[in-house]
């Protein structure tokens, strides 16, 4: 069932989570049925090192998933992204790539200068991270958002926010895919849970609502 640990900085929350992961494996839980999510690649590497003490005894396909929200989302989209109009070899656009697309769109829409590309890029990110319906926004922003999404699809790309938001969309629209991943993972462990945004929370809720081992 669900468990939340609340404690101050430096008191051992990550160590507790890591020991929990190791304990599950030692007590016969198949490692590949466990997800451990952190917020940085560095933290994920440290967790992996602590669990395996420098060397994993498992084949890669049998290891627990230890990584960031975004790397987890990307791994799902590589396998399941076809309904979203992408192939498995999609590219991931960083902030600069996304800003270039926004600039191109704003020029094509001939919007006033007050609609600066960084501001519009921020609004698009906010839509995705808060799982907002773009149809309910101002007409200019809704149109810019749709053009932005069309351009990503045309280039077989996702932006960084998509690595969470598009996975949530996929799991909500395709119950067969949701069931597949709910049945695949029995334990979800999250470090620094207080830092998750709405899209990340929605992903966690979807993954864990069958077994509730969060």
């Amino acid at each position: 069932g669900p468990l939340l640990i609340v404690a101050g900085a430096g008191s051992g929350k990550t160590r507790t989570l890591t020991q929990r992961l190791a304990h599950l494996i030692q007590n016969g839980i198949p490692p590949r049925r466990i997800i451990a999510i952190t917020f940085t690649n560095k933290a994920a590497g440290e967790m992996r090192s602590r669990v395996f003490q420098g060397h994993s005894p498992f084949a890669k396909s049998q290891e627990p998933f230890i990584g960031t929200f975004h790397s987890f989302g990307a791994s799902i989209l590589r396998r399941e992204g076809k309904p979203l109009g992408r192939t498995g070899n999609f590219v991931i656009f960083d902030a600069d790539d996304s800003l270039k697309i926004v600039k191109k769109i704003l020029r094509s829409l001939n919007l006033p200068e007050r609609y600066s590309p960084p501001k519009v890029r921020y609004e698009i990110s906010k839509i995705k991270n808060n799982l907002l319906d773009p149809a309910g926004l101002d007409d200019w922003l809704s149109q810019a958002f749709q053009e932005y999404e069309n351009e990503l699809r045309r280039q077989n790309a996702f932006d960084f926010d998509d690595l969470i938001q598009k996975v949530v969309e996929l799991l909500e629209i395709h119950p067969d895919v949701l069931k597949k991943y709910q049945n695949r993972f029995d334990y979800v462990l999250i470090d620094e849970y207080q830092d998750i945004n709405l899209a990340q929370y929605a992903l966690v809720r979807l993954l864990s609502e069958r077994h509730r081992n969060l």
Side-chain angles (χ1 to χ4, degrees), residues 34-51:
I34 304 169
I35 310 172
I37 295 178
T38 67
F39 275 80
T40 66
N41 290 319
K42 180 182 178 182
E46 290 175 356
M47 184 177 291
R48 177 178 295 277
S49 177
R50 291 189 199 183
V51 171

Side-chain angles (χ1 to χ4, degrees), residues 9 23 33 38 55 70 100-101 106 140 146 148 200:
H23 177 78
R33 302 188 70 83
T38 67
H55 176 70
H70 293 92
K100 288 176 184 176
I101 295 178
L106 294 184
W140 70 268
Q146 193 55 58
Y148 177 82
Q200 291 163 340

